[in-house]
Amino acid sequence: MAALTVAVTSDKTARVSGSGNEDIELSAADEKALFRAIEDFAKTEATETGESVEVSVSGFGATKQLTVTPDGYVAVAGPPTGPIAPVAVPTPARPVQEPVSVRAAEFAPPSAPLRAPAQERQSVLVAPVAVPGAEEPARMGIRGRLNAVLNLRLAPKPESAEVRQRAAAAKITGHIPGFSIVAVANPKGGVGKTPLSIALNETIAKHRGAGSSVCVDFAEVGGTLPGRVSIPPREGQDVHSLVAADAAAQGNMSPAALSRHLARQPGGDDIVAGSSGAGGVGFSYHDAEAIGRIMSAHREILIADTPGNATLSGGWQWATANAHALIVPVPMRHDTAEPGHKMLTDLAATYGPEILARTIVVITDGPGDNPVVETTAVDAFNELHVHKVVRMPYEPKFASGGRIAASQLLPATTTALSVLAAMVVDLIAQPTH
């Protein structure tokens, strides 16, 4: 159970200790409003931590003891029978060699140990600490609400989601040497390649600017991309129409002409539907090559949503062979982890181990997954010496099969996507090609 100590410093101000590494100043219009602000602060702390909070309030002519539960219930007790002990949030002693936590595992690169002390275990998707603008007033969470309501200038906590997002945003907007290809691949179907491709595309465009990235359906025939985006592509906004238009323009397509073949999404990211298979024509290696050439003249990043169960298709082979970054989503199931591992083994044998240095494996969490698979999968991928193995939290919108709107994603998903996008940009900025 967490604990807070509140010292009332005047009839309009109070100091809160025990929330993070620094004290927080509260202020309100009068004594009644101040006590309400203290209660609201404790309710938010209990909700965000998921556990009850004991609050000791010294002031208002007495000492009050509050117990605030995660569901918002506040119980007020009388003064304590003895001195109030110094507030501390205990960290239970846990053995260093305990099994990796399912919900908070740190997936370290091969040069570092996989298992760390329990209190240090944390997915690298929620990791960055130092960030430009970290001292700017918080706009999210309890501190953001306090800043807005009480006109304060509280900085976000160093470990908060807001700081992680600011750090990620700084990296996402960083310099990349030129046009880059990001392939999202796993030979097993139904592992979440399309939702991750869509969300990653939108996250990059959000920070780098509208028109900076495009997601293309590389399925040989009939991919699911059009059914998952906010604004589905119209007729003519598909790979074959785009390739034909470019050929008619003799490889000199103007930005205005290109825009007619792209489905612009609310976040400024663009989408191109895959082949419909009409006339018995699928998406070939030559088509993929043409799409890459077209986009290299107009976009910074191409995200290739590759098909499952089609590693012999031309689009899949072009995307994986030319990827500056390879993203491999792996749900916690043996039937998806093993094919993803074999795919990387085969790609390394074909193109050399450098492709593994450009690979980020994303362990995902969904209904029906088996947490036992996680540790063995992480060990196996790290032994391949991939660039990173990271964890994406469960996102209901990804699992639902419906359309994906960024505004409807969970805050944890938004933060994780920002950090993943930062990793991708950081990776493609490295001189690996």
Side-chain angles (χ1 to χ4, degrees):
M1 182 178 292
L4 299 175
T5 295
V6 181
V8 178
T9 52
S10 76
D11 60 348
K12 297 182 179 180
T13 59
R15 180 181 298 110
V16 182
S17 303
S19 178
N21 298 321
E22 58 183 3
D23 293 348
I24 295 173
E25 299 291 337
L26 301 180
S27 62
D30 53 39
E31 183 176 296
K32 183 177 180 180
L34 181 61
F35 190 74
R36 189 162 55 247
I38 293 170
E39 284 189 345
D40 290 342
F41 183 95
K43 287 179 182 179
T44 303
E45 192 82 359
T47 300
E48 292 184 348
T49 61
E51 60 180 359
S52 296
V53 177
E54 291 286 349
V55 186
S56 177
V57 183
S58 299
F60 305 109
T63 298
K64 296 181 180 292
Q65 297 293 115
L66 310 178
T67 300
V68 183
T69 63
D71 59 5
Y73 177 75
V74 180
V76 182
T81 56
I84 299 174
V87 174
V89 181
T91 301
R94 300 174 72 180
V96 172
Q97 296 300 324
E98 104 175 329
V100 177
S101 167
V102 172
R103 294 290 175 183
E106 178 181 37
F107 302 142
S111 58
L114 176 63
R115 295 179 176 83
Q119 62 270 23
E120 297 177 2
R121 292 191 197 122
Q122 195 173 36
S123 167
V124 291
L125 281 179
V126 292
V129 177
V131 54
E135 296 305 316
E136 294 179 7
R139 294 182 292 274
M140 299 168 53
I142 178 61
R143 296 189 177 205
R145 291 191 287 274
L146 288 172
N147 287 343
V149 174
L150 303 177
N151 197 28
L152 303 177
R153 293 186 59 81
L154 300 174
K157 292 182 181 180
E159 71 279 8
S160 67
E162 185 167 5
V163 167
R164 293 194 294 272
Q165 286 184 326
R166 291 182 185 183
K171 284 194 173 184
I172 296 171
T173 57
H175 171 74
I176 56 177
F179 175 69
S180 301
I181 300 160
V182 178
V184 182
N186 185 321
K188 178 69 175 177
V191 299
K193 293 186 294 291
T194 297
L196 188 57
S197 299
I198 293 170
L200 185 61
N201 186 42
E202 183 168 0
T203 301
I204 291 173
K206 173 185 175 182
H207 294 286
R208 294 191 71 87
S212 58
S213 64
V214 59
C215 181
V216 181
D217 189 343
F218 271 49
E220 195 168 25
V221 173
T224 60
L225 186 66
R228 302 302 305 272
V229 294
S230 296
I231 301 176
R234 303 187 305 271
E235 184 178 352
Q237 295 178 331
D238 62 87
V239 290
H240 289 314
S241 296
L242 177 56
V243 171
D246 179 69
Q250 298 181 334
N252 192 27
M253 181 178 288
S254 68
L258 173 66
S259 67
R260 291 195 288 269
H261 298 279
L262 307 179
R264 174 60 58 91
Q265 301 300 302
D269 50 313
D270 293 313
I271 299 294
V272 182
S275 170
S276 65
V281 179
F283 190 64
S284 67
Y285 189 99
H286 176 73
D287 292 330
E289 196 171 40
I291 292 292
R293 177 179 48 76
I294 295 167
M295 294 306 175
S296 67
H298 298 275
R299 293 294 182 270
E300 292 183 305
I301 297 173
L302 163 64
I303 297 179
D305 178 22
T306 69
N309 304 315
T311 57
L312 296 180
S313 69
W316 192 94
Q317 293 188 349
W318 183 89
T320 53
N322 291 277
H324 297 82
L326 178 61
I327 311 299
V328 185
V330 177
M332 288 184 287
R333 304 196 308 267
H334 287 294
D335 66 334
T336 62
E338 190 277 332
H341 187 274
K342 185 178 185 303
M343 176 192 76
L344 290 177
T345 302
D346 292 343
L347 287 174
T350 302
Y351 301 114
E354 60 271 14
I355 195 170
L356 300 174
R358 304 193 302 274
T359 297
I360 300 174
V361 175
V362 181
I363 304 294
T364 62
D365 191 357
D369 287 353
N370 181 5
V372 176
V373 177
E374 183 174 22
T375 301
T376 55
V378 171
D379 286 337
F381 286 114
N382 275 330
E383 287 172 3
L384 281 180
H385 298 283
V386 298
H387 177 68
K388 290 284 187 182
V389 182
V390 298
R391 169 72 102 91
M392 177 68 67
Y394 172 66
E395 172 49 58
K397 286 294 180 181
F398 288 1
S400 70
R403 298 195 181 278
I404 298 169
S407 61
Q408 298 175 355
L409 300 180
L410 296 175
T413 304
T414 301
T415 299
L417 286 168
S418 296
V419 179
L420 178 59
M423 289 181 182
V424 169
V425 171
D426 190 51
L427 181 59
I428 62 182
Q430 300 175 13
T432 55
H433 271 46

